[in-house]
Amino acid sequence: MDPTLAADLARLPALLDAVRDASAEALAGLDARPVVPLRDGPPEPRRLPAHGAGAEAALADFRDRWEPRLSASAGPRYLGFVTGGATPAALAGDWLTAVHDQNSNSGMDGAGQHLERETVAWLRELFGLTPAHTGTFVSGATMSNTVGLALAREWLGERLGVSPAQDGVAALGPVRVLSGAPHSSIAKALSVLGLGRAALVPVPTLPGREAVDPAALDRALADTPGPAVVVANAGTVNTVDFDDLRAVAALKDRHDFWLHTDAAFGAFAALSPDHAHLTEGLDASDSVCVDLHKWLNVPYDSAVQFTRRRDLQARVFANSAAYLGPLGADPDLVHLTPENSHRLRALAAWFTLRAYGREGHREIVERDTACALELGGLLEADPALRLLAPVRLNVVCFTLADDPTPERLAALREAVSAEVFVTPTVLGGTPGLRAAFSNWRTTPADVRRAAEALRAATKEIA
Ligand SMILES: *Cc1c(COP(=O)(O)O)cnc(C)c1O
């Protein structure tokens, strides 16, 4: 064994203590450090060492050169995109995922994949899905959407008497994927799957809304020759608008389509009694995407893909090899997702659900939602700013009252970036900014700090 490696092995407990101390310090400093440090670019590149100096030297170098340049995205005022942090239990679970380093995809191995199944059953219950849905962990909502649409593709084949998984996507002919205000990852998934970005057919939304107009969807389906795919959106990123999932599913009585619902973060509305109605009808979907590294507050990379048609999933993702054994009635995870090998990704989610339960996670959802409402109120009261949409759940979409050009908004974003991180958007042709609340640490004090920083910055920018 390399002598440095052998020395690290001999001192492993002390090494883990050093990492523990560094972690505690980084987490304790989250609130004070710049939310996004814009001043320093990346450090000067270093050469690959021929001989290493051991893990503690690597830790010191990381803390010196890299850590100060990382964002405080685990903290309470990183409101860009839709970004969660990691609860204490999720962090513990993630650490132990690396400790046990399981490739939990096969029944020939230990019980890892059963831990994933237990976690999926808990998540199913959390989101009000019935056992008609099975679920698998994937790396994020983009991958969950991709898997859901791969199942849709195979279902279209079933309807037409072909198997795209076997014969290729050309066997399908042209495909139409209908959606009101889909997330950008849907087009990316269609590109990856060979269906093509052009397969996406935009369906009109309700006036002044991002939710699909069910009557327009009805007409678009009537105009579609043959079976179709519908992507329902349960929580759009700009205004967190929800398609009427029950109305969309009811169209199945008259039209033949696969219903995929992108509920990446909107599914968490099911935890809040005031908002649970938004997710009613979710169970009728043929496939459902839910992100976990957002509002469940587990570390990246984690999402779940639910479906009513695991048989199609196995048809698409079966990985036939003599050494893996037969598929069986309850296929091993290696046969259900694009990956073969993958970490025991479910463990962080298992930990946080086991530690805090439905009530603990309901409280996070409700507090974040209350914070979004409060920020919306504060920004509305500021004459320099205006809301672009009502605050429906956990996102505040706003802009400058005067002259909201992308340049002025970028200047505003940069001016506040040490205090609060928000990201740009365009809503109905108007450039704006979004503040998305999904971190478990965020409190009303953070909201006031963010509003104050924005108020001060509107005065600074020309
Ligand atoms: C975040 C998000 C995605 C993509 O999620 P990743 O985890 O970044 O892959 C897809 N759909 C919606 C609605 C989202 O909010």
Side-chain angles (χ1 to χ4, degrees):
M1 197 183 282
D2 174 89
T4 321
L5 179 59
D8 271 0
L9 175 59
R11 311 191 53 249
L12 192 56
L15 181 59
L16 293 179
D17 278 344
V19 176
R20 191 206 78 98
D21 292 346
S23 303
E25 208 177 298
L27 292 171
L30 268 183
D31 205 38
R33 64 193 287 177
V35 179
V36 176
L38 288 181
R39 270 199 302 273
D40 301 327
E44 278 299 305
R46 293 250 169 105
R47 295 176 64 95
L48 171 71
H51 297 283
E56 275 186 283
L59 176 64
D61 194 26
F62 166 73
R63 298 193 73 192
D64 178 43
R65 291 173 63 232
W66 290 104
E67 196 179 78
R69 293 171 157 94
L70 300 182
S71 65
S73 59
R77 276 169 286 99
Y78 187 98
L79 308 179
F81 314 106
V82 181
T83 306
T87 63
L91 181 58
D94 203 64
W95 181 327
L96 291 171
T97 303
V99 167
H100 292 284
D101 193 24
Q102 305 281 293
N103 183 9
S104 53
N105 63 9
S106 154
M108 288 186 269
D109 193 41
Q113 62 168 347
H114 297 290
L115 184 145
E116 175 169 325
R117 290 192 174 99
E118 178 167 282
T119 315
V120 164
W122 292 354
L123 290 165
R124 190 167 56 205
E125 192 182 325
L126 207 61
F127 305 129
L129 297 172
T130 61
H133 280 274
T134 56
T136 36
F137 271 71
V138 288
S139 59
T142 300
M143 195 45 82
S144 178
N145 280 329
T146 304
V147 172
L149 291 170
L151 306 185
R153 188 182 65 180
E154 198 60 18
W155 174 86
L156 288 169
E158 187 178 77
R159 280 294 196 265
L160 302 171
V162 295
S163 168
Q166 186 61 32
D167 304 318
V169 72
L172 282 181
V175 167
R176 284 196 196 176
V177 180
L178 311 175
S179 191
H183 187 265
S184 52
S185 59
I186 297 295
K188 180 168 171 168
L190 295 174
S191 161
V192 169
L193 292 167
L195 295 170
R197 296 177 197 264
L200 198 52
V201 179
V203 179
T205 54
L206 294 167
R209 298 270 306 271
E210 288 187 303
V212 77
D213 176 353
L217 181 59
D218 191 11
R219 287 192 295 275
L221 283 162
D223 287 345
T224 303
V229 178
V230 170
V231 175
N233 303 296
T236 58
V237 288
N238 277 330
T239 67
V240 201
D241 213 344
F242 284 69
D243 290 354
D244 180 338
L245 299 178
R246 277 183 305 186
V248 171
L251 295 174
K252 282 203 170 196
D253 292 344
R254 291 190 289 125
H255 306 285
D256 196 22
F257 63 93
W258 176 275
L259 176 55
H260 174 77
T261 301
D262 181 354
F265 65 96
F268 286 84
L271 277 71
S272 155
D274 287 348
H275 298 100
H277 63 277
L278 295 168
T279 61
E280 272 170 27
L282 186 65
D283 189 60
S285 313
D286 297 295
S287 51
V288 177
C289 154
V290 185
D291 230 335
L292 302 178
H293 52 219
K294 291 177 179 168
W295 228 348
L296 190 67
N297 280 272
V298 298
Y300 292 97
D301 306 313
S302 189
V304 67
Q305 201 288 313
F306 292 105
T307 183
R308 291 174 161 269
R309 291 293 307 271
R310 192 174 54 186
D311 59 321
L312 295 179
Q313 197 168 358
R315 221 185 283 166
V316 176
F317 296 106
N319 189 65
S320 311
Y323 69 89
L324 287 172
L327 217 53
D330 191 10
D332 284 343
L333 299 180
V334 67
H335 299 301
L336 294 175
T337 69
E339 297 157 333
N340 281 343
S341 302
H342 61 95
R343 70 207 304 260
L344 182 51
R345 189 175 279 137
L347 187 56
W350 184 94
F351 252 83
T352 197
L353 291 170
R354 178 73 180 80
Y356 313 119
R358 170 185 282 278
E359 281 304 298
H361 281 277
R362 176 193 59 75
E363 192 277 333
I364 295 171
V365 168
E366 294 200 321
R367 178 158 38 85
D368 282 336
T369 306
C371 284
L373 256 187
E374 185 178 345
L375 182 67
L378 291 172
L379 299 190
E380 212 167 17
D382 186 333
L385 297 168
R386 68 184 175 91
L387 296 190
L388 283 173
V391 178
R392 293 202 173 85
L393 196 67
N394 60 329
V395 173
V396 185
C397 194
F398 64 100
T399 196
L400 285 162
D402 294 321
D403 197 19
T405 59
E407 295 72 27
R408 295 187 78 225
L409 290 165
L412 183 65
R413 250 182 333 108
E414 280 169 32
V416 298
S417 64
E419 278 289 283
V420 58
F421 181 63
V422 293
T423 42
T425 191
V426 177
L427 186 68
T430 306
L433 298 171
R434 300 168 56 259
F437 292 80
S438 38
N439 190 293
W440 67 281
R441 289 177 179 267
T442 311
T443 66
D446 293 304
V447 171
R448 290 189 287 276
R449 214 167 136 181
E452 179 53 34
L454 285 162
R455 194 191 60 74
T458 55
K459 300 202 161 60
E460 273 170 40
I461 62 168

